[in-house]
Amino acid sequence: VVSFVAAFALRAESRTIYIFGSAQSVQEYYHILIIVVIIWWFLFDVQKVYSINRAVPLTREFGIAVRTVVIGTVVLFAVTYVLRFDVPSRSTIALFVMLNAGLLCVNRVFFRNLKEYMRGEGGFAKKILIVGAGEKAQRFLSKAAEHAEWAFDVVGFIEFDPSRVGRTVYGAKIVGVPDDLPDMLHRYPIQEIIFAVPTGKISDCTDMLALCEQEGVRAIILSDYFSSLVAHVQTEIQYDQPVLIYSSVHHKEWQLLVKRLFDILFAGVM
C-alpha cells in the first residue's frame, strides 16, 4: 500500500521538475490497489513468508521479495486485462515495482532482526521436546548450535529406557518415557517434538505421533533413511496413507503457482 501511494506521489513530484505524461491521482486507482493487496497477500501466503518457523538465509529472503514483486506485477497486468480495468501509467508502475521491491527487502531485514532480538530475549524461542537421547539427537543438537536462527529451548528428552530417566545429557534432562508424554504436553508449553530415534524404532513412536496430532503439536521425524540420496523429499497422502516421495526433479511451488495462474487467465481470455 505504501509503495503504491508513494509511486503516485513521486511521479507527481517528478512532473514539477519535468512535465511528462498526464497527471494521475491515486484515488482513481483504488480498485487496482485492492487487487494488488489480494495478489501480494496470496503470493506471501503460498511462500509462507511470515511463518515463525522459517529459517532461511537473508539472500533467499531478498530473492523471495523480488520474485513476489515480479510475479505479482505480471499477474496484475493479466488480471486487469481480463477485467478490462485501466492501469496506471508505465512510469507509475515502474516506480511502484522499484519501491515495492526495496521496501519489501527492508521489511525482511527489519523483521529478521526483530525476531533475532526477541529470540535473544526468549520471546520467539520454541519450546521443544526430543524423543531419543542417542547419537541422532547429539548430531541434531550439534548442527543446531551452528544455526542461531533456529532458536529453540530444549525442555528435555523422552527415552525408551526407564533407567536413564533423570540423567542430564547434552545440557538437558531425560524427563520421562513415552507413557509420560501426555503429562509433558500439559505441563510445559511445548510447540514442537523432535523424534531423534533410529529408523527401526520409528514404528514404536506411532502412539506418540498420534498424540501430537491430537494435541496440535508439531512433530518432526529426523530421518537418515536414504540419507545418501541427493533428492528432493515431499510428503503427501497417497494410497490412503502418508508417504515420503524422493524425486530427483524438484518442482518449486511458486513455479507451479505461476503456471496455474496463467492457465486460468488464458482459459478466461479464450
Side-chain angles (χ1 to χ4, degrees):
V1 175
V2 173
S3 304
F4 193 83
V5 175
F8 279 91
L10 189 56
R11 183 180 184 276
E13 190 65 26
S14 300
R15 291 186 77 254
T16 62
I17 301 172
Y18 176 77
I19 298 177
F20 59 92
S22 58
Q24 292 183 329
S25 171
V26 68
Q27 285 86 356
E28 300 172 15
Y29 295 99
Y30 278 153
H31 57 295
I32 301 296
L33 177 57
I34 293 172
I35 296 173
V36 167
V37 170
I38 293 172
I39 294 172
W40 263 242
W41 170 82
F42 182 69
L43 291 173
F44 284 149
D45 185 63
V46 168
Q47 299 175 97
K48 299 178 173 60
V49 170
Y50 293 103
S51 171
I52 291 178
N53 294 317
R54 285 170 60 87
V56 298
L58 187 58
T59 52
R60 188 179 170 193
E61 295 271 19
F62 289 162
I64 291 172
V66 173
R67 186 171 69 212
T68 299
V69 174
V70 172
I71 295 174
T73 303
V74 172
V75 175
L76 174 64
F77 278 123
V79 170
T80 53
Y81 175 78
V82 171
L83 298 178
R84 298 293 191 269
F85 285 163
D86 291 332
V87 295
S89 65
R90 285 174 292 180
S91 57
T92 305
I93 293 294
L95 287 170
F96 166 69
V97 168
M98 291 186 290
L99 286 170
N100 193 230
L103 289 176
L104 283 177
C105 289
V106 171
N107 172 278
R108 299 319 302 152
V109 172
F110 172 76
F111 277 102
R112 190 183 185 90
N113 290 335
L114 177 63
K115 284 199 288 187
E116 287 179 1
Y117 171 77
M118 293 295 292
R119 281 171 173 167
E121 298 293 321
F124 278 133
K126 291 182 292 187
K127 303 292 183 183
I128 71 168
L129 188 68
I130 300 178
V131 177
E135 183 182 345
K136 187 177 286 189
Q138 182 181 16
R139 288 201 307 269
F140 168 69
L141 291 174
S142 298
K143 193 70 176 177
E146 301 172 7
H147 294 272
E149 69 274 13
W150 293 0
F152 56 74
D153 293 330
V154 180
V155 173
F157 295 89
I158 292 288
E159 252 292 1
F160 289 89
D161 183 0
S163 66
R164 299 191 66 192
V165 174
R167 296 184 188 178
T168 299
V169 293
Y170 317 129
K173 269 190 175 184
I174 298 176
V175 294
V177 294
D179 289 341
D180 297 319
L181 184 58
D183 181 53
M184 293 295 107
L185 292 178
H186 295 152
R187 186 185 304 177
Y188 302 104
I190 296 169
Q191 297 165 277
E192 198 168 270
I193 296 182
I194 306 292
F195 288 84
V197 297
T199 303
K201 271 196 168 293
I202 291 178
S203 59
D204 297 332
C205 300
T206 305
D207 291 341
M208 288 186 284
L209 288 167
L211 181 63
C212 289
E213 182 179 7
Q214 179 183 333
E215 296 288 339
V217 177
R218 193 167 182 245
I220 294 178
I221 300 175
L222 302 181
S223 174
D224 49 13
Y225 194 53
F226 293 147
S227 59
S228 60
L229 292 180
V230 184
H232 300 284
V233 184
Q234 292 177 290
T235 57
E236 289 186 10
I237 300 295
Q238 290 193 6
Y239 313 113
D240 289 332
Q241 59 185 323
V243 297
L244 287 177
I245 300 174
Y246 286 79
S247 172
S248 58
V249 180
H250 181 46
H251 300 287
K252 293 184 178 179
E253 288 185 2
W254 69 270
Q255 292 174 336
L256 297 175
L257 169 65
V258 172
K259 181 182 181 300
R260 180 60 177 163
L261 286 173
F262 274 106
D263 287 343
I264 293 172
L265 289 170
F266 182 75
V269 172
M270 297 302 290

Tab-separated table of all heavy atoms in Angstrom, residues 150-199:
chain	number	residue	atom	x	y	z
A	150	TRP	N	17.776	-20.896	14.306
A	150	TRP	CA	16.799	-21.937	14.628
A	150	TRP	C	16.162	-21.670	15.983
A	150	TRP	O	15.012	-21.996	16.196
A	150	TRP	CB	17.452	-23.317	14.616
A	150	TRP	CG	17.888	-23.751	13.254
A	150	TRP	CD1	17.765	-23.046	12.083
A	150	TRP	CD2	18.525	-24.985	12.917
A	150	TRP	NE1	18.295	-23.764	11.032
A	150	TRP	CE2	18.767	-24.955	11.508
A	150	TRP	CE3	18.930	-26.102	13.634
A	150	TRP	CZ2	19.387	-26.011	10.842
A	150	TRP	CZ3	19.547	-27.144	12.968
A	150	TRP	CH2	19.768	-27.092	11.583
A	151	ALA	N	16.908	-21.131	16.898
A	151	ALA	CA	16.452	-20.654	18.212
A	151	ALA	C	15.356	-21.479	18.868
A	151	ALA	O	14.185	-21.266	18.631
A	151	ALA	CB	16.000	-19.199	18.122
A	152	PHE	N	15.751	-22.433	19.697
A	152	PHE	CA	14.775	-23.193	20.471
A	152	PHE	C	15.357	-23.550	21.827
A	152	PHE	O	16.572	-23.520	22.032
A	152	PHE	CB	14.336	-24.466	19.720
A	152	PHE	CG	15.470	-25.372	19.322
A	152	PHE	CD1	16.140	-26.150	20.255
A	152	PHE	CD2	15.857	-25.464	17.994
A	152	PHE	CE1	17.177	-26.990	19.892
A	152	PHE	CE2	16.901	-26.301	17.613
A	152	PHE	CZ	17.563	-27.069	18.559
A	153	ASP	N	14.463	-23.830	22.769
A	153	ASP	CA	14.855	-24.289	24.108
A	153	ASP	C	14.434	-25.742	24.249
A	153	ASP	O	13.275	-26.086	23.994
A	153	ASP	CB	14.172	-23.453	25.204
A	153	ASP	CG	14.670	-22.013	25.216
A	153	ASP	OD1	15.839	-21.795	24.852
A	153	ASP	OD2	13.888	-21.122	25.579
A	154	VAL	N	15.378	-26.576	24.645
A	154	VAL	CA	15.074	-27.992	24.840
A	154	VAL	C	14.500	-28.188	26.241
A	154	VAL	O	15.189	-27.967	27.243
A	154	VAL	CB	16.332	-28.870	24.654
A	154	VAL	CG1	15.983	-30.342	24.869
A	154	VAL	CG2	16.922	-28.666	23.258
A	155	VAL	N	13.229	-28.558	26.305
A	155	VAL	CA	12.580	-28.804	27.597
A	155	VAL	C	13.161	-30.059	28.239
A	155	VAL	O	13.348	-30.126	29.456
A	155	VAL	CB	11.053	-28.950	27.413
A	155	VAL	CG1	10.393	-29.385	28.715
A	155	VAL	CG2	10.458	-27.628	26.930
A	156	GLY	N	13.465	-31.048	27.407
A	156	GLY	CA	14.019	-32.294	27.924
A	156	GLY	C	13.954	-33.386	26.863
A	156	GLY	O	13.622	-33.139	25.707
A	157	PHE	N	14.271	-34.599	27.313
A	157	PHE	CA	14.268	-35.755	26.422
A	157	PHE	C	13.276	-36.812	26.919
A	157	PHE	O	13.046	-36.942	28.123
A	157	PHE	CB	15.659	-36.399	26.364
A	157	PHE	CG	16.725	-35.527	25.751
A	157	PHE	CD1	17.466	-34.662	26.538
A	157	PHE	CD2	16.990	-35.587	24.396
A	157	PHE	CE1	18.454	-33.868	25.984
A	157	PHE	CE2	17.979	-34.798	23.823
A	157	PHE	CZ	18.717	-33.936	24.624
A	158	ILE	N	12.716	-37.521	25.971
A	158	ILE	CA	11.925	-38.712	26.276
A	158	ILE	C	12.756	-39.921	25.839
A	158	ILE	O	13.249	-39.959	24.709
A	158	ILE	CB	10.572	-38.711	25.521
A	158	ILE	CG1	9.659	-37.603	26.043
A	158	ILE	CG2	9.888	-40.067	25.628
A	158	ILE	CD1	9.086	-37.851	27.416
A	159	GLU	N	12.930	-40.881	26.726
A	159	GLU	CA	13.736	-42.062	26.407
A	159	GLU	C	12.905	-43.328	26.596
A	159	GLU	O	11.982	-43.372	27.404
A	159	GLU	CB	14.978	-42.122	27.303
A	159	GLU	CG	16.281	-41.815	26.606
A	159	GLU	CD	16.690	-42.886	25.597
A	159	GLU	OE1	15.946	-43.880	25.423
A	159	GLU	OE2	17.748	-42.731	24.959
A	160	PHE	N	13.251	-44.359	25.843
A	160	PHE	CA	12.545	-45.633	25.954
A	160	PHE	C	13.050	-46.446	27.147
A	160	PHE	O	12.334	-47.304	27.656
A	160	PHE	CB	12.711	-46.450	24.665
A	160	PHE	CG	11.952	-45.888	23.494
A	160	PHE	CD1	12.535	-44.942	22.647
A	160	PHE	CD2	10.637	-46.266	23.253
A	160	PHE	CE1	11.828	-44.419	21.583
A	160	PHE	CE2	9.919	-45.752	22.178
A	160	PHE	CZ	10.524	-44.813	21.347
A	161	ASP	N	14.273	-46.154	27.591
A	161	ASP	CA	14.875	-46.892	28.706
A	161	ASP	C	14.568	-46.169	30.024
A	161	ASP	O	15.119	-45.090	30.284
A	161	ASP	CB	16.384	-46.992	28.495
A	161	ASP	CG	17.070	-47.820	29.588
A	161	ASP	OD1	16.365	-48.302	30.504
A	161	ASP	OD2	18.302	-47.980	29.520
A	162	PRO	N	13.708	-46.733	30.888
A	162	PRO	CA	13.334	-46.059	32.151
A	162	PRO	C	14.522	-45.804	33.068
A	162	PRO	O	14.487	-44.853	33.870
A	162	PRO	CB	12.342	-47.042	32.805
A	162	PRO	CG	11.866	-47.913	31.691
A	162	PRO	CD	13.010	-48.026	30.730
A	163	SER	N	15.579	-46.605	32.974
A	163	SER	CA	16.731	-46.450	33.873
A	163	SER	C	17.516	-45.162	33.607
A	163	SER	O	18.288	-44.722	34.459
A	163	SER	CB	17.669	-47.654	33.742
A	163	SER	OG	18.246	-47.696	32.445
A	164	ARG	N	17.272	-44.542	32.462
A	164	ARG	CA	18.019	-43.326	32.122
A	164	ARG	C	17.266	-42.052	32.536
A	164	ARG	O	17.813	-40.951	32.454
A	164	ARG	CB	18.286	-43.272	30.619
A	164	ARG	CG	19.126	-44.433	30.090
A	164	ARG	CD	19.578	-44.171	28.663
A	164	ARG	NE	20.502	-43.053	28.607
A	164	ARG	CZ	20.875	-42.450	27.467
A	164	ARG	NH1	20.349	-42.843	26.324
A	164	ARG	NH2	21.731	-41.448	27.490
A	165	VAL	N	16.037	-42.198	32.979
A	165	VAL	CA	15.239	-41.027	33.377
A	165	VAL	C	15.914	-40.318	34.552
A	165	VAL	O	16.331	-40.942	35.526
A	165	VAL	CB	13.803	-41.442	33.766
A	165	VAL	CG1	13.033	-40.242	34.308
A	165	VAL	CG2	13.082	-42.032	32.565
A	166	GLY	N	16.025	-38.999	34.441
A	166	GLY	CA	16.656	-38.199	35.484
A	166	GLY	C	18.072	-37.793	35.141
A	166	GLY	O	18.612	-36.849	35.734
A	167	ARG	N	18.697	-38.483	34.204
A	167	ARG	CA	20.050	-38.130	33.805
A	167	ARG	C	20.038	-36.861	32.950
A	167	ARG	O	19.032	-36.523	32.322
A	167	ARG	CB	20.694	-39.266	32.997
A	167	ARG	CG	20.896	-40.562	33.774
A	167	ARG	CD	21.623	-41.576	32.887
A	167	ARG	NE	21.665	-42.896	33.518
A	167	ARG	CZ	22.206	-43.969	32.954
A	167	ARG	NH1	22.751	-43.870	31.749
A	167	ARG	NH2	22.206	-45.133	33.587
A	168	THR	N	21.162	-36.173	32.934
A	168	THR	CA	21.322	-34.985	32.104
A	168	THR	C	22.231	-35.322	30.932
A	168	THR	O	23.352	-35.813	31.134
A	168	THR	CB	21.930	-33.815	32.902
A	168	THR	OG1	21.054	-33.486	33.989
A	168	THR	CG2	22.121	-32.596	32.025
A	169	VAL	N	21.730	-35.117	29.743
A	169	VAL	CA	22.520	-35.364	28.537
A	169	VAL	C	22.406	-34.166	27.610
A	169	VAL	O	21.334	-33.579	27.452
A	169	VAL	CB	22.040	-36.640	27.792
A	169	VAL	CG1	22.321	-37.884	28.609
A	169	VAL	CG2	20.558	-36.564	27.458
A	170	TYR	N	23.539	-33.770	27.033
A	170	TYR	CA	23.563	-32.655	26.077
A	170	TYR	C	22.920	-31.388	26.649
A	170	TYR	O	22.272	-30.618	25.931
A	170	TYR	CB	22.866	-33.035	24.764
A	170	TYR	CG	23.204	-34.425	24.268
A	170	TYR	CD1	22.195	-35.324	23.921
A	170	TYR	CD2	24.531	-34.847	24.150
A	170	TYR	CE1	22.501	-36.601	23.471
A	170	TYR	CE2	24.840	-36.134	23.715
A	170	TYR	CZ	23.818	-36.997	23.369
A	170	TYR	OH	24.120	-38.271	22.921
A	171	GLY	N	23.059	-31.195	27.946
A	171	GLY	CA	22.579	-29.966	28.572
A	171	GLY	C	21.125	-29.962	28.988
A	171	GLY	O	20.604	-28.938	29.420
A	172	ALA	N	20.422	-31.084	28.859
A	172	ALA	CA	19.015	-31.145	29.276
A	172	ALA	C	18.728	-32.505	29.905
A	172	ALA	O	19.446	-33.478	29.665
A	172	ALA	CB	18.092	-30.906	28.089
A	173	LYS	N	17.665	-32.555	30.703
A	173	LYS	CA	17.340	-33.783	31.428
A	173	LYS	C	16.486	-34.737	30.601
A	173	LYS	O	15.702	-34.309	29.749
A	173	LYS	CB	16.570	-33.452	32.719
A	173	LYS	CG	17.454	-33.243	33.931
A	173	LYS	CD	16.608	-33.167	35.181
A	173	LYS	CE	17.504	-33.072	36.426
A	173	LYS	NZ	16.704	-33.094	37.666
A	174	ILE	N	16.659	-36.015	30.884
A	174	ILE	CA	15.727	-37.016	30.373
A	174	ILE	C	14.551	-37.010	31.340
A	174	ILE	O	14.674	-37.416	32.497
A	174	ILE	CB	16.378	-38.405	30.298
A	174	ILE	CG1	17.566	-38.378	29.339
A	174	ILE	CG2	15.355	-39.450	29.849
A	174	ILE	CD1	18.336	-39.676	29.258
A	175	VAL	N	13.417	-36.493	30.876
A	175	VAL	CA	12.302	-36.205	31.783
A	175	VAL	C	11.277	-37.326	31.883
A	175	VAL	O	10.382	-37.276	32.730
A	175	VAL	CB	11.575	-34.905	31.358
A	175	VAL	CG1	12.498	-33.701	31.538
A	175	VAL	CG2	11.097	-35.001	29.911
A	176	GLY	N	11.391	-38.334	31.025
A	176	GLY	CA	10.413	-39.413	31.132
A	176	GLY	C	10.502	-40.415	29.998
A	176	GLY	O	11.417	-40.373	29.160
A	177	VAL	N	9.540	-41.311	29.998
A	177	VAL	CA	9.430	-42.350	28.977
A	177	VAL	C	8.203	-42.024	28.110
A	177	VAL	O	7.451	-41.096	28.435
A	177	VAL	CB	9.281	-43.743	29.637
A	177	VAL	CG1	10.562	-44.104	30.398
A	177	VAL	CG2	8.075	-43.778	30.571
A	178	PRO	N	7.984	-42.756	27.007
A	178	PRO	CA	6.843	-42.440	26.130
A	178	PRO	C	5.501	-42.308	26.843
A	178	PRO	O	4.681	-41.454	26.471
A	178	PRO	CB	6.840	-43.615	25.143
A	178	PRO	CG	8.283	-43.978	25.031
A	178	PRO	CD	8.854	-43.805	26.410
A	179	ASP	N	5.268	-43.102	27.876
A	179	ASP	CA	3.987	-43.009	28.593
A	179	ASP	C	3.810	-41.681	29.322
A	179	ASP	O	2.693	-41.310	29.697
A	179	ASP	CB	3.864	-44.165	29.596
A	179	ASP	CG	3.645	-45.506	28.906
A	179	ASP	OD1	3.239	-45.495	27.727
A	179	ASP	OD2	3.891	-46.557	29.544
A	180	ASP	N	4.920	-40.962	29.540
A	180	ASP	CA	4.859	-39.678	30.239
A	180	ASP	C	4.578	-38.511	29.290
A	180	ASP	O	4.416	-37.370	29.753
A	180	ASP	CB	6.182	-39.401	30.965
A	180	ASP	CG	6.487	-40.431	32.042
A	180	ASP	OD1	5.540	-40.819	32.749
A	180	ASP	OD2	7.658	-40.841	32.172
A	181	LEU	N	4.526	-38.773	27.998
A	181	LEU	CA	4.370	-37.685	27.035
A	181	LEU	C	3.090	-36.868	27.238
A	181	LEU	O	3.146	-35.629	27.186
A	181	LEU	CB	4.427	-38.232	25.601
A	181	LEU	CG	4.362	-37.184	24.489
A	181	LEU	CD1	5.493	-36.170	24.625
A	181	LEU	CD2	4.419	-37.845	23.117
A	182	PRO	N	1.918	-37.487	27.483
A	182	PRO	CA	0.710	-36.663	27.707
A	182	PRO	C	0.893	-35.669	28.848
A	182	PRO	O	0.490	-34.504	28.734
A	182	PRO	CB	-0.370	-37.701	28.035
A	182	PRO	CG	0.097	-38.958	27.379
A	182	PRO	CD	1.596	-38.932	27.509
A	183	ASP	N	1.520	-36.109	29.929
A	183	ASP	CA	1.748	-35.223	31.070
A	183	ASP	C	2.711	-34.100	30.696
A	183	ASP	O	2.529	-32.951	31.097
A	183	ASP	CB	2.298	-36.031	32.247
A	183	ASP	CG	2.540	-35.153	33.475
A	183	ASP	OD1	1.591	-34.445	33.882
A	183	ASP	OD2	3.659	-35.159	34.016
A	184	MET	N	3.753	-34.421	29.900
A	184	MET	CA	4.733	-33.411	29.473
A	184	MET	C	4.067	-32.334	28.624
A	184	MET	O	4.345	-31.143	28.786
A	184	MET	CB	5.848	-34.077	28.655
A	184	MET	CG	6.753	-35.034	29.412
A	184	MET	SD	7.748	-34.201	30.680
A	184	MET	CE	6.909	-34.764	32.161
A	185	LEU	N	3.167	-32.755	27.739
A	185	LEU	CA	2.499	-31.799	26.858
A	185	LEU	C	1.582	-30.859	27.619
A	185	LEU	O	1.377	-29.711	27.218
A	185	LEU	CB	1.698	-32.541	25.774
A	185	LEU	CG	2.517	-33.304	24.730
A	185	LEU	CD1	1.594	-34.029	23.754
A	185	LEU	CD2	3.448	-32.369	23.969
A	186	HIS	N	1.024	-31.328	28.732
A	186	HIS	CA	0.131	-30.489	29.525
A	186	HIS	C	0.887	-29.671	30.569
A	186	HIS	O	0.407	-28.623	31.004
A	186	HIS	CB	-0.922	-31.357	30.219
A	186	HIS	CG	-1.851	-32.034	29.251
A	186	HIS	ND1	-2.473	-33.236	29.523
A	186	HIS	CD2	-2.266	-31.684	28.005
A	186	HIS	CE1	-3.232	-33.589	28.490
A	186	HIS	NE2	-3.107	-32.665	27.554
A	187	ARG	N	2.065	-30.146	30.937
A	187	ARG	CA	2.843	-29.440	31.958
A	187	ARG	C	3.662	-28.299	31.363
A	187	ARG	O	3.835	-27.254	31.996
A	187	ARG	CB	3.776	-30.417	32.668
A	187	ARG	CG	4.530	-29.787	33.848
A	187	ARG	CD	5.550	-30.746	34.453
A	187	ARG	NE	4.947	-32.011	34.862
A	187	ARG	CZ	5.648	-33.028	35.359
A	187	ARG	NH1	6.959	-32.939	35.479
A	187	ARG	NH2	5.032	-34.140	35.707
A	188	TYR	N	4.182	-28.489	30.149
A	188	TYR	CA	5.055	-27.489	29.523
A	188	TYR	C	4.427	-26.971	28.224
A	188	TYR	O	3.717	-27.709	27.543
A	188	TYR	CB	6.427	-28.102	29.199
A	188	TYR	CG	7.147	-28.660	30.403
A	188	TYR	CD1	7.201	-30.048	30.623
A	188	TYR	CD2	7.778	-27.827	31.319
A	188	TYR	CE1	7.868	-30.572	31.717
A	188	TYR	CE2	8.449	-28.353	32.426
A	188	TYR	CZ	8.481	-29.720	32.619
A	188	TYR	OH	9.131	-30.237	33.703
A	189	PRO	N	4.725	-25.713	27.870
A	189	PRO	CA	4.189	-25.153	26.607
A	189	PRO	C	5.025	-25.618	25.412
A	189	PRO	O	5.697	-24.827	24.753
A	189	PRO	CB	4.306	-23.639	26.830
A	189	PRO	CG	5.494	-23.492	27.735
A	189	PRO	CD	5.475	-24.702	28.645
A	190	ILE	N	4.979	-26.901	25.122
A	190	ILE	CA	5.805	-27.476	24.061
A	190	ILE	C	5.174	-27.193	22.703
A	190	ILE	O	3.994	-27.467	22.483
A	190	ILE	CB	5.977	-28.999	24.276
A	190	ILE	CG1	6.744	-29.254	25.572
A	190	ILE	CG2	6.692	-29.641	23.090
A	190	ILE	CD1	6.739	-30.694	26.021
A	191	GLN	N	5.969	-26.648	21.810
A	191	GLN	CA	5.483	-26.301	20.476
A	191	GLN	C	5.884	-27.319	19.419
A	191	GLN	O	5.272	-27.383	18.351
A	191	GLN	CB	6.016	-24.916	20.072
A	191	GLN	CG	5.525	-23.789	20.966
A	191	GLN	CD	6.339	-22.532	20.783
A	191	GLN	OE1	7.406	-22.355	21.358
A	191	GLN	NE2	5.836	-21.639	19.948
A	192	GLU	N	6.925	-28.074	19.711
A	192	GLU	CA	7.448	-28.980	18.697
A	192	GLU	C	8.095	-30.191	19.374
A	192	GLU	O	8.757	-30.054	20.408
A	192	GLU	CB	8.482	-28.233	17.855
A	192	GLU	CG	8.821	-28.860	16.530
A	192	GLU	CD	9.626	-27.888	15.669
A	192	GLU	OE1	9.005	-27.108	14.907
A	192	GLU	OE2	10.873	-27.892	15.777
A	193	ILE	N	7.898	-31.354	18.787
A	193	ILE	CA	8.546	-32.567	19.288
A	193	ILE	C	9.421	-33.131	18.183
A	193	ILE	O	8.967	-33.350	17.057
A	193	ILE	CB	7.527	-33.619	19.750
A	193	ILE	CG1	6.741	-33.085	20.947
A	193	ILE	CG2	8.210	-34.924	20.108
A	193	ILE	CD1	5.730	-34.067	21.523
A	194	ILE	N	10.692	-33.322	18.502
A	194	ILE	CA	11.660	-33.861	17.545
A	194	ILE	C	11.847	-35.346	17.851
A	194	ILE	O	12.244	-35.715	18.967
A	194	ILE	CB	13.014	-33.140	17.656
A	194	ILE	CG1	12.854	-31.619	17.536
A	194	ILE	CG2	13.994	-33.682	16.609
A	194	ILE	CD1	12.435	-31.148	16.177
A	195	PHE	N	11.580	-36.183	16.884
A	195	PHE	CA	11.779	-37.628	17.049
A	195	PHE	C	13.157	-37.987	16.495
A	195	PHE	O	13.338	-38.114	15.274
A	195	PHE	CB	10.679	-38.407	16.338
A	195	PHE	CG	9.345	-38.325	17.021
A	195	PHE	CD1	8.489	-37.254	16.803
A	195	PHE	CD2	8.947	-39.314	17.908
A	195	PHE	CE1	7.265	-37.166	17.447
A	195	PHE	CE2	7.718	-39.246	18.562
A	195	PHE	CZ	6.885	-38.164	18.332
A	196	ALA	N	14.126	-38.096	17.402
A	196	ALA	CA	15.510	-38.418	17.023
A	196	ALA	C	15.807	-39.858	17.413
A	196	ALA	O	16.642	-40.133	18.273
A	196	ALA	CB	16.476	-37.452	17.699
A	197	VAL	N	15.083	-40.766	16.805
A	197	VAL	CA	15.221	-42.185	17.132
A	197	VAL	C	15.736	-42.933	15.913
A	197	VAL	O	15.565	-42.484	14.772
A	197	VAL	CB	13.864	-42.781	17.586
A	197	VAL	CG1	13.374	-42.106	18.850
A	197	VAL	CG2	12.822	-42.652	16.483
A	198	PRO	N	16.378	-44.091	16.121
A	198	PRO	CA	16.826	-44.897	14.981
A	198	PRO	C	15.646	-45.273	14.090
A	198	PRO	O	14.500	-45.376	14.560
A	198	PRO	CB	17.451	-46.135	15.643
A	198	PRO	CG	17.802	-45.691	17.025
A	198	PRO	CD	16.767	-44.686	17.410
A	199	THR	N	15.921	-45.482	12.824
A	199	THR	CA	14.860	-45.802	11.862
A	199	THR	C	14.032	-47.007	12.306
A	199	THR	O	12.806	-47.023	12.167
A	199	THR	CB	15.477	-46.083	10.474
A	199	THR	OG1	16.240	-44.939	10.064
A	199	THR	CG2	14.391	-46.360	9.445
